[in-house]
C-alpha cells in the first residue's frame, strides 16, 4: 500500500495531469502558433517567397541572426566567467553582484535600451570617449550587438552557475594529484561537464536575442538595410496593415527557431552520450 502511494505521489494520476498539460500548452503555445501558419497560408506561394526574398526582409534577417549569434557567443564566454566567480569565490559585495546579473530579467527592455543609448551615444558618458577613437556604437550594428549582449547574459550565468555549485571538487583534486595543471584540469575535466549547460545557456540567449525589440529599437537607429531588425520590420508591416506579410516573416523566424532548438538538443544528446561512454 505504501509503495502504491509512493508511486502515485500527491498529484492526480498521469491521465489527468497529462490532459491538463496538453490543454495548457495548446492554449498558450500550439493554437497561437498554428494560427500563425494558417494566416501565412492565405498567401500564394509566389507572394510568400516574394515577401521573404525582399531585399529589406533579407537584410533585417541577416542583422538579427548575426547580431544574436555573436552576442550569444560573447555571453557564452563571459557568462561562464561570471558564473565561475559567483560559484567559487566569497568576497564582499557578492550578493549585490549576484543580484545585478538578474537586472536584465527585471528591468523593462525599453528602459535598458534608453539607458544604453544615453551611455553609448556620441555625446554619452562612454560614447564620447569611444568617438575619439573612431568607434561609433549607438545607431550602428555594434549598438545592436551591445543591447543583445546585455539582455542575454543572465541566461548563461543562471544556467551554468548551479552546475558549478553542484560540482564535486574531488575531481579537480584527483586531476591535480595526477599532475594536471589548472588549465588542463579546466579543459579536460570541468569543461566537458559544463558543456551541456553552456550550450543550453547559449541557445536561450540566442533565442531571446532573436525576438528582442525594446532594448534594440532605441539604440539601433532603425535604418532599413543597415540596422533594422526582424521584430521592428514585423511591427512596421502591421502598422501598414500588411498582416499577411508580417505573418510570413514571423513564420520564417519561427521555423528557424525550431530548427535551432532541434540542433541544440541534438548536440546536447551527442555530448551526453559521449560523456556516458567515457
Amino acid at each position: 500500500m505504501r509503495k502504491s502511494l509512493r508511486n502515485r505521489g500527491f498529484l492526480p494520476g498521469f491521465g489527468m495531469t497529462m490532459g491538463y498539460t496538453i490543454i495548457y500548452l495548446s492554449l498558450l503555445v500550439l493554437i497561437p502558433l498554428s494560427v500563425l501558419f494558417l494566416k501565412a497560408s492565405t498567401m500564394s506561394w509566389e507572394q510568400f517567397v516574394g515577401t521573404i526574398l525582399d531585399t529589406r526582409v533579407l537584410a533585417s534577417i541577416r542583422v538579427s541572426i548575426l547580431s544574436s549569434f555573436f552576442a550569444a557567443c560573447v555571453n557564452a564566454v563571459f557568462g561562464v566567467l561570471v558564473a565561475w566567480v559567483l560559484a567559487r569565490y566569497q568576497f564582499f559585495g557578492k550578493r549585490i553582484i549576484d543580484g545585478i546579473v538578474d537586472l536584465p530579467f527585471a528591468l523593462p527592455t525599453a528602459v535598458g535600451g534608453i539607458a544604453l543609448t544615453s551611455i553609448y551615444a556620441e555625446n554619452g558618458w562612454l560614447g564620447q570617449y569611444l568617438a575619439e577613437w573612431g568607434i561609433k556604437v549607438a545607431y550602428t550594428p555594434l549598438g545592436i550587438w551591445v543591447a543583445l549582449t546585455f539582455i542575454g547574459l543572465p541566461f548563461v550565468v543562471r544556467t551554468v552557475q548551479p552546475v558549478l555549485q553542484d560540482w564535486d571538487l574531488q575531481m579537480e583534486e584527483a586531476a591535480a594529484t595526477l599532475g594536471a595543471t589548472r588549465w588542463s584540469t579546466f579543459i579536460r575535466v570541468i569543461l566537458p561537464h559544463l558543456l551541456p549547460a553552456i550550450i543550453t545557456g547559449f541557445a536561450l540567449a540566442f533565442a531571446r536575442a532573436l525576438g528582442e525589440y525594446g532594448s534594440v529599437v532605441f539604440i539601433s537607429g532603425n535604418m532599413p538595410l543597415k540596422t533594422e531588425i526582424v521584430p521592428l520590420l514585423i511591427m512596421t508591416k502591421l502598422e501598414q496593415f500588411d498582416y499577411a506579410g508580417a505573418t510570413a516573416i514571423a513564420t520564417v523566424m519561427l521555423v528557424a527557431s525550431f530548427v535551432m532548438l532541434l540542433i541544440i538538443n541534438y548536440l546536447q544528446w551527442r555530448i551526453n552520450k559521449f560523456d556516458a561512454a567515457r
Side-chain angles (χ1 to χ4, degrees):
M1 182 66 179
R2 292 182 178 178
K3 184 177 180 180
S4 177
L5 290 175
R6 190 184 305 116
N7 291 335
R8 290 175 59 186
F10 294 100
L11 294 177
F14 173 77
M16 183 177 295
T17 53
M18 188 62 180
Y20 285 139
T21 301
I22 294 176
I23 293 174
Y24 185 79
L25 290 177
S26 297
L27 292 175
L28 294 181
V29 180
L30 297 179
I31 294 178
L33 296 184
S34 300
V35 172
L36 188 66
F37 283 100
L38 290 175
K39 183 64 177 180
S41 65
T42 59
M43 304 175 65
S44 65
W45 177 250
E46 291 76 13
Q47 292 175 331
F48 182 84
V49 174
T51 300
I52 300 303
L53 295 183
D54 181 73
T55 304
R56 183 177 178 182
V57 175
L58 291 177
S60 65
I61 293 175
R62 182 178 65 254
V63 170
S64 292
I65 292 179
L66 291 180
S67 300
S68 301
F69 178 77
F70 288 122
C73 289
V74 172
N75 284 327
V77 175
F78 290 96
V80 173
L81 180 61
V82 174
W84 182 277
V85 172
L86 294 176
R88 288 299 184 93
Y89 302 105
Q90 297 294 331
F91 53 91
F92 177 76
K94 176 181 177 179
R95 292 187 176 181
I96 297 177
I97 295 178
D98 196 29
I100 291 175
V101 171
D102 291 329
L103 271 180
F105 282 150
L107 192 68
T109 56
V111 176
I114 294 174
L116 292 173
T117 305
S118 301
I119 293 174
Y120 288 103
E122 291 188 359
N123 59 347
W125 181 48
L126 294 177
Q128 59 181 335
Y129 299 108
L130 294 175
E132 296 178 357
W133 293 86
I135 302 176
K136 185 178 180 181
V137 178
Y139 316 123
T140 65
L142 181 59
I144 300 176
W145 173 73
V146 170
L148 296 182
T149 303
F150 167 77
I151 58 99
L153 178 64
F155 291 95
V156 179
V157 176
R158 294 312 181 208
T159 305
V160 176
Q161 187 178 357
V163 180
L164 284 172
Q165 291 174 340
D166 294 336
W167 171 252
D168 189 0
L169 296 178
Q170 293 181 355
M171 300 291 291
E172 299 178 41
E173 295 173 357
T177 302
L178 296 174
T181 62
R182 290 185 177 182
W183 181 248
S184 61
T185 299
F186 178 79
I187 295 297
R188 295 178 179 271
V189 179
I190 301 176
L191 186 59
H193 184 74
L194 291 179
L195 200 54
I198 295 174
I199 293 177
T200 301
F202 172 87
L204 292 174
F206 182 60
R208 177 69 176 84
L210 279 179
E212 178 59 23
Y213 176 79
S215 63
V216 179
V217 70
F218 295 101
I219 198 172
S220 66
N222 309 321
M223 292 180 287
L225 306 179
K226 293 183 179 180
T227 61
E228 188 176 46
I229 58 175
V230 172
L232 177 64
L233 182 58
I234 293 175
M235 290 296 299
T236 302
K237 293 282 187 181
L238 293 175
E239 291 174 354
Q240 296 172 351
F241 302 101
D242 185 7
Y243 300 115
T247 306
I249 300 172
T251 302
V252 170
M253 296 304 296
L254 175 62
V255 173
S257 300
F258 184 72
V259 171
M260 181 198 69
L261 290 177
L262 288 179
I263 295 174
I264 294 299
N265 289 331
Y266 174 76
L267 290 176
Q268 289 179 327
W269 174 77
R270 292 289 297 178
I271 292 173
N272 292 331
K273 184 178 179 181
F274 177 75
D275 289 339
R278 293 177 62 182

